[in-house]
Amino acid sequence: YAQNLRALQQGEPAPAGHGLAAARLAHRVVASLTLVLVIVMAMTTLATKPVLKRAGALSLALLLLALGLAVLGIATPGARLPAVAMGNLLGGFVMFALCWRLAASAKPQGAAAGLGLWAIAGLALLCAQLAGGALVSACYAALSCGDLADCTRAAAAAGWDWSLLNPWREPVVEATALPVNAASAFALWLHRVGAVVVLPVLALLGLAAWRRGRRRGGAALLLLAALQGALGLLIVATGLPLAAVLAHNLIAALLL
């Protein structure tokens, strides 16, 4: 957790990756296969008679996003800026959401009532929360403070400095046994306060969906919001285990 960045900032050789090379190779293989599938899907939807306009638009959006992520990966190898990691993570989330929407568009839709502005508000809050979580990860801020009260004290001590949230600024980690970016406690504080706001809103949205006939979607939203809140507490209590963090990201993608 930030050991490589700490070593580079101190002019030392980076430690061994412990499977990092294998993870990168697997990521590149999956990304390449995904790009091929997206190209075939876009060509198929646009070549069909009649043209599948909705599916074609979603496929083209997927293709543009996949190409953008490919360029980002090629142009920024070894980048230290949080913006690069955030772009990769959030881009992957959006690709997943577009694929889900594409699959759903092929199924007949029921006559259940929509949620209109409530759904848009929930989506906007969720996107802001996802961006905040990506910033926490990319800045190595998840261990910068303990509970919410501790984060409040740390952020206040730093003067609630909004410039510390700049994703184009390289994080500076402290030379401790486990590297910590204490300056980014404000980012972690915002993410935790955001969870207190976003998760109840999503739960209310799930209840509203249930009452308007969208029972499967409403139940899924309620369950995922509850799981995400529990995982957030678990991550704080257990010191950021990788499996729990990966599950946290997966549920965030499912919520989106």
Side-chain angles (χ1 to χ4, degrees):
Y1 188 73
Q3 286 92 342
N4 282 11
L5 180 60
R6 177 183 63 184
L8 290 170
Q9 290 177 345
Q10 295 181 351
E12 301 173 356
H18 298 297
L20 184 59
R24 282 179 173 162
L25 177 60
H27 179 66
R28 287 172 182 169
V29 170
V30 172
S32 299
L33 290 174
T34 302
L35 181 58
V36 171
L37 286 172
V38 170
I39 291 173
V40 172
M41 187 162 52
M43 293 174 63
T44 301
T45 55
L46 297 177
T48 302
K49 301 295 183 180
V51 174
L52 302 175
K53 293 183 179 180
R54 179 177 175 79
L58 290 170
S59 298
L60 286 176
L62 266 175
L63 179 58
L64 290 174
L65 189 54
L67 290 173
L69 288 174
V71 171
L72 180 64
I74 294 170
T76 57
R80 307 183 196 178
L81 296 178
V84 176
M86 291 178 68
N88 276 288
L89 185 60
L90 295 176
F93 280 3
V94 174
M95 280 194 73
F96 182 78
L98 286 174
C99 287
W100 195 288
R101 174 63 68 183
L102 187 59
S105 68
K107 299 177 182 178
Q109 301 296 317
L115 297 170
L117 292 177
W118 285 107
I120 295 173
L123 179 62
L125 285 172
L126 177 61
C127 288
Q129 183 68 356
L130 291 178
L135 179 64
V136 168
S137 294
C139 288
Y140 304 103
L143 296 175
S144 59
C145 52
D147 56 19
L148 185 58
D150 185 29
C151 290
T152 303
R153 288 190 292 269
W160 304 99
D161 188 358
W162 288 89
S163 67
L164 296 174
L165 304 179
N166 182 4
W168 301 101
R169 175 177 179 172
E170 180 180 328
V172 178
V173 294
E174 299 176 5
T176 52
L178 187 62
V180 173
N181 180 14
S184 292
F186 186 23
L188 184 56
W189 180 87
L190 279 175
H191 188 58
R192 289 181 176 171
V193 170
V196 174
V197 175
V198 173
L199 290 178
V201 169
L202 294 179
L204 289 173
L205 190 59
L207 284 173
W210 177 278
R211 291 174 180 173
R212 297 188 186 189
R214 296 183 177 270
R215 301 210 162 187
R216 290 180 60 185
L221 196 53
L222 285 168
L223 177 61
L224 290 171
L227 283 174
Q228 192 72 323
L231 264 177
L233 294 174
L234 177 66
I235 289 170
V236 172
T238 55
L240 209 67
L242 183 58
V245 174
L246 288 173
H248 195 63
N249 279 343
L250 175 60
I251 293 178
L254 289 172
L255 278 168
L256 181 60

